[in-house]
Amino acid sequence: MKRDNLRVKQSTNKPIKQCFSIVFILLLTSLSTACQVTEPAVIRHIENTDASDSIEYSQYYLILKTLNNRQLLLEEKKLLSLMASQSNDKTLNQGKLILLYSLPNPGLYQPYKAKSLLNEHLLTSNNMSQGDLAFIMLLRDQLNIQLRLLEKQARSDKKYNEQYDQDSNTIEQLKQQLEHVNKQLILLKEIDKNINERG
């Protein structure tokens, strides 16, 4: 009797365990797809931000930091087309493009272009909020520092290359001198051999 009860309990536990397993798998699947769904929402936020909407540059920069390379390239393409179409809010799009080129992203990082656009932007923008102005000034200072470091690196590379070329020339001259000395040694050995044979 006890064995029969035990078999009945075991047989009822199997479907419950299977049910829990299925529910657990479905839960994991829904959680993993939820992570994938959140990323395009950030892009929609950028796309839904029209020129008429006032977006702070600091917020836009934070949004850019969450995008992957492909999304950043799409954003650049969109901003460039808006700039080319002479839209009403060219200044806002130019500001966004400056932030895009200032990102420390290997595919888009263009500090010289960003600085050039920034100088233009500061001349044309009239009605910037105090927070945006502070953010843009901070960005300008950072770009100036980065450009100085890049110029210093370029000078250092040039100096290294010049030194390398000079060292290469010196090595080449030493090789030629060594070759000349070796030829003279061979000649002296032949003369010595001839003298020994006559003596």
Side-chain angles (χ1 to χ4, degrees):
M1 185 88 164
K2 284 184 180 180
R3 284 185 184 171
D4 289 338
N5 284 342
L6 187 61
R7 283 184 192 161
V8 169
K9 281 185 182 180
Q10 285 177 348
S11 63
T12 56
N13 281 344
K14 280 185 181 181
I16 292 173
K17 284 182 182 178
Q18 288 175 343
C19 184
F20 276 127
S21 296
I22 291 171
V23 168
F24 184 71
I25 290 171
L26 288 174
L27 183 64
L28 280 177
T29 307
S30 67
L31 285 175
S32 66
T33 56
C35 293
Q36 295 170 356
V37 171
T38 56
E39 190 177 70
V42 173
I43 300 228
R44 268 188 253 114
H45 177 68
I46 291 177
E47 289 170 356
N48 292 336
T49 305
D50 296 329
S52 60
D53 293 343
S54 172
I55 182 170
E56 288 186 14
Y57 289 123
S58 54
Q59 291 172 340
Y60 182 73
Y61 188 78
L62 290 175
I63 291 169
L64 288 177
K65 293 287 283 176
T66 63
L67 302 180
N68 62 33
N69 284 344
R70 187 183 62 78
Q71 293 165 335
L72 287 169
L73 290 170
L74 288 172
E75 182 67 10
E76 178 195 26
K77 189 176 179 181
K78 181 186 119 191
L79 288 172
L80 288 172
S81 69
L82 286 171
M83 295 279 292
S85 70
Q86 299 296 327
S87 65
N88 290 343
D89 211 349
K90 185 177 179 179
T91 338
L92 178 67
N93 293 324
Q94 188 179 31
K96 289 179 178 181
L97 203 55
I98 293 166
L99 293 176
L100 194 62
Y101 289 143
S102 301
L103 278 176
N105 179 298
L108 281 168
Y109 181 62
Q110 299 180 34
Y112 289 101
K113 201 171 197 176
K115 179 65 167 122
S116 170
L117 285 170
L118 183 63
N119 289 339
E120 223 179 277
H121 183 69
L122 287 172
L123 290 174
T124 58
S125 59
N126 300 332
N127 54 350
M128 229 189 286
S129 73
Q130 199 70 14
D132 281 347
L133 184 61
F135 185 75
I136 292 293
M137 298 310 271
L138 173 70
L139 180 62
R140 185 186 67 176
D141 293 343
Q142 291 298 316
L143 282 171
N144 285 337
I145 291 168
Q146 290 172 6
L147 293 178
R148 278 195 295 272
L149 288 173
L150 286 171
E151 287 171 10
K152 187 177 179 182
Q153 179 69 39
R155 281 195 305 270
S156 176
D157 289 349
K158 184 179 178 185
K159 190 175 179 180
Y160 173 80
N161 288 336
E162 287 171 355
Q163 184 65 41
Y164 178 78
D165 290 343
Q166 189 177 9
D167 289 347
S168 296
N169 289 338
T170 305
I171 290 171
E172 191 59 39
Q173 288 173 355
L174 288 173
K175 280 183 181 177
Q176 288 173 358
Q177 288 175 359
L178 185 63
E179 231 176 87
H180 181 70
V181 168
N182 281 336
K183 285 180 183 176
Q184 286 180 341
L185 272 174
I186 291 170
L187 188 62
L188 284 172
K189 282 183 183 178
E190 285 180 18
I191 292 172
D192 188 45
K193 184 180 174 187
N194 285 340
I195 291 174
N196 284 340
E197 286 176 356
R198 287 182 188 174

